[in-house]
Amino acid sequence: MDTYTHGHAEPVLQSHRWRTAENSAAHLLPALRPGLDLLDVGCGPGTITVDLAARVAPGRVLGLDLSADPLDEARAGADRAGVEVTFAVGDVYALDVPDASFDVVHAHQVLQHLTDPVAALREMARVCRPGGLVAVRDVDYAATTWFPADEGLDRWLALYQQVARRNDAEPDAGRRLLAWAHAAGLRDVTATTSSWCFTTPAEREWWGRSWAGRATASAFAEQAVAYGLATPGELQGIADAWLRWAGADDGWLGMLHGELLVRV
């Protein structure tokens, strides 16, 4: 059983709700057209799923997540947008659909949390139709950079990597996506990168407060303490560092992501 490092606490969902097809799946958008059937693995609260569904309507869209916790919110979002999406609990290692069921199989920020991302890619390819696309995107935490320098944020990055690896996950997944695809037997692969950048006062306020909340009230915080990697006091110090960064007039943060489009 994989352990999800972030969990579904409100500070986590706050950041997940910000994600759209434009800011999180731009590498896939040129390949979409009306009528394609699409599977979104690890859909969370469904903001990306709903955006993708609008682009492939009237194609069939299924959003799966390992946890039922965010799915009611995802369904409500689809209703508000007026798009047809089915949301359900599902396991990326054992997708409960026949072979060659979808034209597009998408996963955003999923492979980094898995103990066996290669097996997951094989399973995603299994349910993709010949000529279809598997599209994945994952952050590379070691490539995250910010200004101004802050020892508290240095501690955050080191601790996040420790917690993720204690969960047998890979926080620097972005640089490994191509290797994982090759290990899964997938060779018709286009590998690219893109980034998130937070610079405006509003962006810093939103991102900084999200991570300040995660540092003290999320599965990440609980795991850090349970694994003996940090104390509550240290986690509060990390939260304070995020708030200092958010309040810095010249604050800047960039996060590099690896991306793949795999032709099946």
Side-chain angles (χ1 to χ4, degrees), residues 11-257:
V12 177
L13 292 178
Q14 174 187 333
S15 70
H16 290 180
R17 294 183 189 113
W18 167 81
R19 298 173 181 174
T20 65
E22 289 84 359
N23 66 33
S24 299
H27 64 300
L28 172 60
L29 298 188
L32 299 182
R33 64 179 188 276
L36 295 179
D37 295 333
L38 184 145
L39 171 64
D40 190 21
V41 179
C43 62
T47 52
I48 299 175
T49 322
V50 168
D51 273 357
L52 296 175
R55 287 164 170 79
V56 301
R60 177 172 58 101
V61 176
L62 172 63
L64 297 179
D65 202 274
L66 186 62
S67 172
D69 292 347
L71 296 185
D72 284 343
E73 182 175 336
R75 296 183 185 103
D79 288 344
R80 286 193 303 272
V83 295
E84 292 290 330
V85 184
T86 300
F87 290 101
V89 173
D91 180 356
V92 68
Y93 298 122
L95 297 169
D96 190 19
V97 296
D99 294 356
S101 294
F102 293 92
D103 301 296
V104 179
V105 182
H106 171 263
H108 183 260
Q109 311 291 19
V110 172
L111 298 183
Q112 64 184 284
H113 298 294
L114 304 182
T115 56
D116 194 346
V118 174
L121 281 167
R122 288 197 190 103
E123 180 68 352
M124 292 169 69
R126 177 188 70 80
V127 304
C128 190
R129 291 173 181 145
L133 284 175
V134 172
V136 297
R137 183 174 189 261
D138 275 272
V139 70
D140 194 303
Y141 272 93
T144 301
T145 187
W146 57 82
F147 186 86
D150 192 304
E151 290 182 358
L153 295 185
D154 293 339
R155 173 67 173 130
W156 160 75
L157 183 55
L159 178 62
Y160 182 84
Q161 293 190 316
Q162 287 179 301
V163 172
R165 292 203 165 93
R166 176 65 170 74
N167 291 333
D168 292 325
E170 179 45 71
D172 302 338
R175 70 188 67 185
R176 291 172 167 81
L177 294 182
L178 182 60
W180 289 343
H182 288 169
L186 305 172
R187 304 300 304 190
D188 190 353
V189 183
T190 301
T192 56
T193 63
S194 63
S195 64
W196 289 339
C197 189
F198 305 105
T199 61
T200 69
E203 289 169 345
R204 292 196 309 272
E205 175 77 6
W206 168 79
W207 191 246
R209 288 199 173 277
S210 172
W211 264 107
R214 295 195 214 190
T216 57
S218 72
F220 161 71
E222 295 167 1
Q223 292 162 18
V225 173
Y227 299 158
L229 298 173
T231 67
E234 288 174 311
L235 293 173
Q236 184 59 56
I238 289 172
D240 293 342
W242 275 111
L243 295 179
R244 282 194 300 273
W245 172 82
D249 185 56
D250 50 3
W252 179 97
L253 184 139
M255 301 185 76
L256 183 71
H257 295 73

